[in-house]
């Protein structure tokens, strides 16, 4: 029998869903733990890479849908220490690495979906109730091909909730918990997880995918850039992949370039969001070279332009210029690729401490540029600076702000950022 790609077997085609897509039995899948030995894994190297790239925190997968925990767990022997030859606590090592490099530490935990021990995620029970009311039941993610014989309730009582407690008690500096795939969870079940976290550490921020509108911040969708019309009552974060899969997929070489990553960052930050970018290490624990190289480039860009990114808020508009590319999900980006042409007339805007930042990713071939959003119809401009350079000559006209760029800026490969300061208006 020849090998098949995931795309030939079904959906979703992201690597870490292979057990569901290929309908691998629990017994057969569990044997893979005998081969799990990421011998080159280095938490310090990954944490330093993240720090140098300008990231402020790391969220590491403590348990995904396959039920295999990357930490020592008394609640289940199906974990990296007890069931694999690697025999090291990956979560503990990441926790220590985050402390070393001054990064905040978070964990991802699949609380509802567990293909090893989570039964059918209470699908049959939910379907019976929904059928009486004429409602459709979505089984997405549930193990219906080889569900564990225990009840879903026993899974919650004996594995899922106890493992969350283990994480909270062992890693007291956890700042974020990224629950995922609430699917068929009842409100009281989501609340049980929320209360479990709150009772042990009320300072932890919880993702909305705990389910039933109980999270502390919103997730527009995987690999989705919201439109300006999208509104969120709570802080929000876009989560994205470096290629088209969260886990490592050997034949997926559709890596986001540094230019595309900067586009994502500016689109998200200018709309008031946060960008959490995923990397999927190889089976041996190493990080793909394209990830390393492009993150280094982003870090160098942020060294100069970080003032316009961190701690900023949206301005009255987020973008001016022709570049517009609606990205709705992972599948769309994978299918269409990224072909957006960014021009020297494209600017993204953020604001902080009374100043507005205009961020360009392309430089003009001539020295004079015009930013229409800064016309005389708004407040009077007092000073214009280029981050990393200093003050520049400008003229605020009816049709916009005209700036004369120095020759050294024109040659920059990834643009520049203008910091615009306004005169204080009389009260």
């Amino acid at each position: 029998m020849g090998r098949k790609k995931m795309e030939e077997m079904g959906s979703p085609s992201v690597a870490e869903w292979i057990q569901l897509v290929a309908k691998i039995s629990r017994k057969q899948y569990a044997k893979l733990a005998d081969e799990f030995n990421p011998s080159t894994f280095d938490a310090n190297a990954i944490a330093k890479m993240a720090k140098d790239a300008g990231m402020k925190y790391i969220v590491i997968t403590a348990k995904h849908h396959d039920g295999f925990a990357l930490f020592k767990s008394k609640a289940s022997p199906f974990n990296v220490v007890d069931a694999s030859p690697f025999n090291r606590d990956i979560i503990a090592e990441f926790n220590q690495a985050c402390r070393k490099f001054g990064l905040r530490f978070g964990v991802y935990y699949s609380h509802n979906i567990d293909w090893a021990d989570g039964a059918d995620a209470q699908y049959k029970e939910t379907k019976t109730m929904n059928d009486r009311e004429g409602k459709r039941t979505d089984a997405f993610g549930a193990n219906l091909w080889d569900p564990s014989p225990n009840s879903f309730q026993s899974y919650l009582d004996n594995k899922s909730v106890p493992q969350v407690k283990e994480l909270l008690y062992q890693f007291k500096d956890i700042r974020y918990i990224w629950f995922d795939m609430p699917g068929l969870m009842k409100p009281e079940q989501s609340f049980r997880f929320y209360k479990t976290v709150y009772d042990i550490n009320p300072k932890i921020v919880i993702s909305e995918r705990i389910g039933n509108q109980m999270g502390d911040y919103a997730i527009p969708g995987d690999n989705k850039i919201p439109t300006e019309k999208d509104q969120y009552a709570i802080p929000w974060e876009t989560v994205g992949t470096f290629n088209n899969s969260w886990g490592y997929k050997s034949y997926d070489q559709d890596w986001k370039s540094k230019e595309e990553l900067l586009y994502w960052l500016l689109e998200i930050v200018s709309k008031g969001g946060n960008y959490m970018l995923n990397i999927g290490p190889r089976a041996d624990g190493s990080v793909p070279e394209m990830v390393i190289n492009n993150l280094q480039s982003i870090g160098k860009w942020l060294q100069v332009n970080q003032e316009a990114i961190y701690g900023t808020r949206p301005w009255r508009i987020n973008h001016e210029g022709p570049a517009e590319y609606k990205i709705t999900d992972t599948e769309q980006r994978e299918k269409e690729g990224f072909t957006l042409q960014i021009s020297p007339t494209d600017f993204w805007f953020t604001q902080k401490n009374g100043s507005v930042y205009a961020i360009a990713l392309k430089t003009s071939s001539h020295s004079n540029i015009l930013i229409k959003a800064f016309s005389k119809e708004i407040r009077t401009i007092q000073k214009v600076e280029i981050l990393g350079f200093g003050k520049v000559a400008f003229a605020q006209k009816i049709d916009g702000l005209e700036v004369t760029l120095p020759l050294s800026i024109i040659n920059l490969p990834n643009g520049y950022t203008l910091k615009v300061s306004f005169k204080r208006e009389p009260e």
Side-chain angles (χ1 to χ4, degrees):
M1 186 178 188
R3 291 184 177 182
K4 287 185 177 180
K5 290 184 177 180
M6 288 190 68
E7 290 79 2
E8 300 174 72
M9 293 186 282
S11 179
S13 59
V14 286
E16 68 281 1
W17 280 69
I18 191 166
Q19 185 180 1
L20 177 146
V21 175
K23 301 294 185 289
I24 302 171
S25 70
R26 290 180 300 114
K27 183 177 181 180
Q28 184 181 359
Y29 190 86
K31 291 179 182 178
L32 294 173
D34 297 335
E35 304 172 23
F36 184 67
N37 190 22
S39 56
T40 67
F41 166 74
D42 186 341
N44 285 327
I46 293 176
K48 185 179 187 303
M49 178 183 69
K51 181 77 171 180
D52 291 346
M55 297 181 180
K56 299 296 186 181
Y57 65 94
I58 283 179
V59 174
I60 172 70
T61 302
K63 177 179 79 73
H64 203 258
H65 309 327
D66 63 357
F68 183 71
L70 294 184
F71 61 98
K72 170 74 172 176
S73 174
K74 294 180 181 177
S76 168
F78 194 41
N79 68 75
V80 65
V81 177
D82 296 322
S84 82
F86 189 58
N87 194 32
R88 284 162 49 189
D89 191 318
I90 289 176
I91 304 303
E93 292 184 19
F94 254 115
N95 179 247
Q96 293 171 358
C98 284
R99 287 181 191 165
K100 179 176 179 179
F101 290 97
L103 293 164
R104 292 169 180 163
F105 179 65
V107 294
Y108 170 108
Y109 186 88
S110 178
H111 61 321
N112 176 42
I113 300 296
D114 189 305
W115 299 324
D117 302 299
D120 66 348
Q122 64 190 3
Y123 169 73
K124 289 182 181 177
E125 174 188 342
T126 306
K127 187 176 186 304
T128 298
M129 292 187 295
N130 286 346
D131 286 351
R132 293 173 187 156
E133 301 176 17
K135 295 180 181 178
R136 178 179 172 271
T137 304
D138 187 357
F140 181 62
N143 185 345
L144 303 185
W145 69 95
D146 182 30
S148 56
N150 57 296
S151 68
F152 182 72
Q153 186 62 49
S154 70
Y155 156 72
L156 294 180
D157 294 341
N158 300 318
K159 182 179 181 181
S160 194
V161 172
Q163 282 192 333
V164 170
K165 289 181 178 179
E166 287 177 336
L167 289 166
L168 293 168
Y169 283 123
Q170 184 176 351
F171 308 113
K172 298 185 184 299
D173 53 355
I174 286 178
R175 294 293 299 274
Y176 317 95
I177 289 193
W178 225 96
F179 291 113
D180 196 16
M181 289 287 296
L184 304 171
M185 293 199 83
K186 302 172 184 176
E188 59 269 24
Q189 292 167 337
S190 291
F191 181 71
R192 181 180 180 187
F193 281 98
Y194 199 99
K195 190 173 187 302
T196 296
V197 176
Y198 187 87
D199 286 348
I200 297 173
N201 187 346
K203 295 181 179 180
I204 288 177
V205 179
I206 299 172
S207 77
E208 72 167 3
R209 292 189 188 174
I210 193 171
N212 296 289
Q213 293 80 51
M214 293 183 194
D216 299 323
Y217 64 99
I219 311 293
D222 292 358
N223 284 298
K224 177 181 178 180
I225 296 179
T227 67
E228 282 193 275
K229 295 180 180 179
D230 292 325
Q231 297 293 322
Y232 301 95
I234 55 178
W236 61 272
E237 173 180 75
T238 284
V239 291
T241 50
F242 229 104
N243 50 6
N244 299 307
S245 185
W246 301 92
Y248 181 72
K249 188 191 286 188
S250 61
Y251 57 87
D252 182 356
Q253 300 300 315
D254 184 18
W255 303 107
K256 291 179 174 67
S257 67
K258 63 180 180 180
E259 291 80 12
E260 181 178 354
L261 291 171
L262 286 173
Y263 172 79
W264 280 72
L265 179 64
L266 295 187
E267 274 288 300
I268 292 164
V269 171
S270 66
K271 293 172 181 174
N274 185 57
Y275 188 25
M276 187 166 77
L277 179 62
N278 172 80
I279 66 167
R282 299 186 182 96
D284 65 359
S286 63
V287 178
E289 289 70 24
M290 283 295 290
V291 173
I292 295 172
N293 295 337
N294 288 345
L295 285 182
Q296 285 177 344
S297 297
I298 299 300
K300 291 177 181 177
W301 185 89
L302 280 167
Q303 286 175 4
V304 177
N305 300 284
Q306 59 183 306
E307 184 183 332
I309 301 297
Y310 301 121
T312 58
R313 296 180 293 111
W315 192 43
R316 62 186 186 89
I317 62 171
N318 86 291
H319 172 253
E320 167 183 310
E324 184 178 2
Y325 185 74
K326 293 182 180 179
I327 302 177
T328 58
D329 51 43
T330 307
E331 289 73 21
Q332 181 219 341
R333 167 62 183 78
E334 182 176 11
K335 181 179 179 181
E336 298 180 6
F338 185 82
T339 56
L340 180 68
Q341 295 297 314
I342 297 173
S343 78
T345 59
D346 282 300
F347 295 93
W348 286 264
F349 302 97
T350 61
Q351 65 173 322
K352 179 172 63 178
N353 299 331
S355 296
V356 176
Y357 302 89
I359 308 165
L361 292 180
K362 294 288 183 183
T363 53
S364 176
S365 59
H366 51 83
S367 59
N368 288 341
I369 61 165
L370 181 71
I371 305 178
K372 298 176 182 178
F374 292 125
S375 69
K376 277 192 172 180
E377 296 177 358
I378 65 166
R379 295 165 56 195
T380 303
I381 294 172
Q382 182 178 44
K383 182 173 63 174
V384 177
E385 305 167 68
I386 295 179
L387 295 186
F389 177 84
K391 295 180 184 179
V392 289
F394 71 93
Q396 190 177 18
K397 301 181 178 181
I398 294 296
D399 57 347
L401 172 67
E402 190 175 273
V403 176
T404 302
L405 298 176
L407 291 176
S408 59
I409 299 300
I410 292 176
N411 296 322
L412 290 179
N414 292 117
Y416 57 93
T417 297
L418 294 178
K419 179 180 180 180
V420 178
S421 302
F422 299 92
K423 289 182 179 179
R424 292 192 63 178
E425 301 292 340
E427 296 182 3

